């Protein structure tokens, strides 16, 4: 499967987390964590690619914005704000051509 091919598994994870939050206003933290884990793994697969799938970019942006927008109205979503920051962080890593596993906490980066 090429990095630019439509990813059915990613679409399903997005449906269970982001779309469920938008449609039913139900925050399923494990579903968002599963989505984040999958996207972290995906960052390894697309690290060397010069083009990133719009599906991946959309999913990262929607996951972050869905949590932030609903946190104003739903108290249970406020607890998920740190995971929203993780989606944003992962987007920055992918944009820099890196994978999630390239960054180790407490270890200086040598460029």
């Amino acid at each position: 499967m090429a990095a630019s091919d439509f990813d059915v598994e990613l679409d399903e994870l997005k449906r269970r987390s982001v779309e469920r939050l938008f449609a039913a206003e139900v925050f399923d933290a494990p579903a968002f964590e599963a989505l984040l884990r999958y996207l972290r793994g995906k960052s390894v697969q697309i690290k060397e690619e010069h083009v990133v799938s719009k599906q991946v970019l959309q999913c990262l942006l929607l996951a972050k914005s869905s949590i932030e927008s609903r946190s104003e109205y739903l108290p249970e979503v406020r607890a998920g704000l740190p995971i929203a920051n993780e989606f944003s962080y992962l987007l920055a890593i992918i944009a820099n051509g890196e994978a999630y596993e390239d960054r180790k906490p407490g270890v200086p980066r040598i460029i």
Side-chain angles (χ1 to χ4, degrees):
M1 177 165 123
S4 61
D5 289 348
F6 184 79
D7 189 329
V8 177
E9 187 173 353
L10 177 59
D11 191 54
E12 176 61 22
L13 290 167
K14 184 182 89 169
R15 187 189 62 73
R16 286 189 285 172
S17 56
V18 175
E19 292 177 13
R20 187 169 177 216
L21 179 57
F22 277 137
E25 295 194 342
V26 173
F27 180 69
D28 185 349
F32 274 94
E33 290 167 7
L35 177 62
L36 183 59
R37 274 192 311 276
Y38 186 80
L39 286 166
R40 285 175 175 164
K42 190 87 166 165
S43 73
V44 175
Q45 297 171 359
I46 61 178
K47 176 180 176 178
E48 300 298 325
E49 297 291 325
H50 295 286
V51 177
V52 178
S53 163
K54 288 180 185 178
Q55 182 187 19
V56 171
L57 298 176
Q58 178 199 44
C59 194
L60 286 163
L61 292 169
L62 280 176
K64 178 184 185 314
S65 66
S66 68
I67 294 170
E68 289 177 343
S69 69
R70 295 303 191 258
S71 70
E72 296 178 33
Y73 309 106
L74 302 170
E76 65 273 13
V77 180
R78 282 189 203 106
L81 283 173
I83 200 169
N85 293 332
E86 288 294 318
F87 286 109
S88 181
Y89 175 70
L90 188 55
L91 177 59
I93 287 173
I94 290 171
N96 285 328
E98 299 176 37
Y100 179 76
E101 63 186 24
D102 292 345
R103 302 254 177 127
K104 305 281 189 243
V107 177
R109 292 181 51 224
I110 300 173
I111 298 176

